[in-house]
Structures are given as structure tokens and as C-alpha cells.
Amino acid sequence: MLMEERRQLILDEINIKNIVYVKELAKRYSVTMETIRKDLEDIINENSEIRKVYGGALKSSSNIVDESYSLRNELFSNEKNILAKKGVSLINDGDSIFLDAGTTISKMIPYLKNKKNLKIVTVSLSVINEFVNFFNSIDHTHSIFLIGGEVKLNLLSTSGVKTSLDISNYFFDKAFLTLDGLSLKNGVTSHNHDEALVTKTALNHSLENIFLVTDEKFDTSKFYKVCDLNQINFIVSVNPENNFLKNLVKNFNINLY
């Protein structure tokens, strides 16, 4: 297959699926991953709406937030597992923690096996499900609390004013949060007002705010403002050497991990 033909097929797949992965493309076209990376680099240079992400490329105009939870959970799965493991390493025994409804956050649950006496508060039905499945047959010393409110089926979470009011009755050592957009100009942003309200409340009641961020969220802004950059204590990334993150921390007291 000619290079031009392969690149056109890859571009067509990006336009259809919104996202492609280097490893899968290399296997499909029987070429090296380095060849696919070069293909994607050239495709990105010629198409402004396509951007590089960890392990592949994403069509920036795609509205992933409207997809089902199960589909979003599969996107960047390897990256999210790395973030989840790194996030858990910041937890101390006895901590009270808030876990939001992001698909990265529920992946933290299996890594809590070696922690003790955690008080876990969440709005995520997926976190509860993971906790039940993983800890049902394992001795543990954790307590877990689900905050009520309007159930968002596409997010598998509760949200809204009641949810935020209930969260305001708790205080956390650490809040583990996700976001839809992160930029120098606009700070942390969200697609959804109700989800943003939950995040706002949790971070205002936490001693440390820890955002687990996949690469495609960098240098983007979404519909609703969540918080300023000075409210972030930690950003957990698979690539702390990312140039955007380096620029981000120059003027803000943010720890990269």
C-alpha cells in the first residue's frame, strides 16, 4: 500500500471514529509504530481540527462528552489507568477523599487495595459499582458514601443543586477531579453546568485539589468556568514534561506529577 493511500485511510477513520491509536494502526497496516506516528504528524499538520493525544490522534471538534459512559471509558484507557495509579499514590492511609464522576476516576478503585481507613465520598455510580465489584470479597477498612441528586444516565453520576449542597457538608483531605478543558487564559472549564457546580463545591471543601488530566484536554476551553488555575494543587499527567504544562506552572504554584 502506498503511503498516500494509507494516510487517506487513516484520515477517513479519524473523521468517522473521532479517534485513532498508533498501536492499532501499526498492526492493521503492518508497519512500525514510528511510521504511523509520522503519518499522524503529517495528517495533523495538514488538518487543524485534528490534534495529537497520548497514543494516537483525536478530532478536536468531536463532542465526546455526548457519547455514552461506556464509550468514553474506553477512550485513552491506557492513559487513564496510568493516571489512576499515579493519583492513588498521592493518598495516605486515613485520608478523606472526594472522587468525581470522570471515567479516569473509577479506575482508581483497584489501586486502593493497599490503602487503609479511607473515607470515600463520590457522586459516581461507576465508582460505587467498581468498589462493590472489587472489594466485595476483599477485607478492607474503607468507608464509602454516595451523594444523592439527579441521576445523569449518560454520566453514571448524580449532579445538580441538591448534590452540591450535600457535598458542602463534607470536608476532604484530597479531591480527585477531572475536567473538560484546561487553558492559561480560562483556567478549568466544563461542558456542563451541573457537573461544574459539583466540582466547584468539592474543590472548595478540600485541602488539596488534584486534577487527573488526559492530554487532549490541554490548551482547550469549554462552555462553563469551573475554577481559576490558582485553585489547583496537583495536575497528574502521563507526560509532566509536556510543554503546555511547563508553561502552566511558570506563574502558578501547581505541582506536576
Side-chain angles (χ1 to χ4, degrees):
M1 180 182 295
L2 296 175
M3 179 186 67
E4 291 80 4
E5 182 182 359
R6 182 180 66 246
R7 290 182 178 179
Q8 184 58 52
L9 289 172
I10 292 172
L11 177 59
D12 291 343
E13 185 171 347
I14 294 172
N15 286 325
I16 293 171
K17 295 183 177 179
N18 294 322
I19 187 169
V20 294
Y21 296 101
V22 170
K23 188 174 182 180
E24 293 176 1
L25 293 173
K27 183 177 180 180
R28 182 178 308 141
Y29 295 111
S30 300
V31 295
T32 66
M33 289 196 291
E34 186 57 38
T35 297
I36 294 298
R37 290 190 185 98
K38 183 63 169 64
D39 288 342
L40 292 177
E41 183 179 336
D42 288 346
I43 289 171
I44 290 167
N45 287 337
E46 296 175 3
N47 297 269
S48 60
E49 65 177 4
I50 298 174
R51 60 188 297 172
K52 181 180 178 181
V53 294
Y54 181 80
L58 172 75
K59 189 174 181 180
S60 300
S61 59
S62 61
N63 196 5
I64 292 175
V65 73
D66 289 335
E67 303 291 352
S68 68
Y69 184 94
S70 60
L71 177 58
R72 287 183 289 110
N73 192 45
E74 293 174 2
L75 294 174
F76 316 111
S77 181
N78 291 337
E79 185 180 3
K80 290 175 180 178
N81 276 312
I82 294 171
L83 294 176
K85 187 174 183 179
K86 291 177 75 172
V88 168
S89 70
L90 297 172
I91 297 174
N92 299 316
D93 290 346
D95 276 348
S96 58
I97 62 175
F98 176 82
L99 302 180
D100 83 0
T103 54
T104 304
I105 300 298
S106 61
K107 297 181 185 298
M108 295 173 63
I109 296 302
Y111 299 113
L112 298 177
K113 180 176 64 174
N114 296 322
K115 302 294 181 180
K116 297 178 181 179
N117 299 312
L118 301 179
K119 293 182 177 65
I120 305 165
V121 177
T122 188
V123 294
S124 171
L125 302 180
S126 182
V127 164
I128 295 295
N129 187 56
E130 287 293 322
F131 190 91
V132 170
N133 288 339
F134 190 81
F135 284 103
N136 187 47
S137 58
I138 299 177
D139 289 335
H140 67 89
T141 55
H142 305 320
S143 302
I144 188 164
F145 304 84
L146 175 65
I147 301 295
E150 181 183 0
V151 176
K152 303 288 188 179
L153 294 179
N154 65 319
L155 300 173
L156 290 184
S157 69
T158 58
S159 65
V161 174
K162 181 184 184 303
T163 304
S164 298
L165 287 174
D166 286 351
I167 292 172
S168 67
N169 291 314
Y170 294 86
F171 295 94
F172 313 107
D173 294 304
K174 299 176 177 75
F176 290 88
L177 307 163
T178 53
L179 49 76
D180 294 326
L182 179 67
S183 77
L184 289 167
K185 180 180 179 181
N186 298 319
V188 176
T189 52
S190 173
H191 287 285
N192 183 281
H193 172 272
D194 287 344
E195 294 298 305
L197 186 59
V198 166
T199 302
K200 278 174 177 279
T201 306
L203 63 83
N204 285 327
H205 283 251
S206 176
L207 294 176
E208 290 187 344
N209 297 312
I210 302 166
F211 283 85
L212 279 56
V213 189
T214 48
D215 282 10
E216 86 281 3
K217 308 294 179 61
F218 296 153
D219 201 19
T220 64
S221 295
K222 303 304 177 184
F223 176 68
Y224 194 83
K225 177 71 172 282
V226 176
C227 70
D228 292 319
L229 296 174
N230 59 14
Q231 290 185 266
I232 301 174
N233 300 112
F234 281 87
I235 290 179
V236 180
S237 169
V238 296
N239 182 20
E241 297 301 313
N242 178 282
N243 287 331
F244 169 76
L245 291 179
K246 286 183 177 180
N247 289 330
L248 188 71
V249 300
K250 279 183 180 178
N251 299 309
F252 299 93
N253 187 27
I254 298 174
N255 298 289
L256 296 182
Y257 183 59

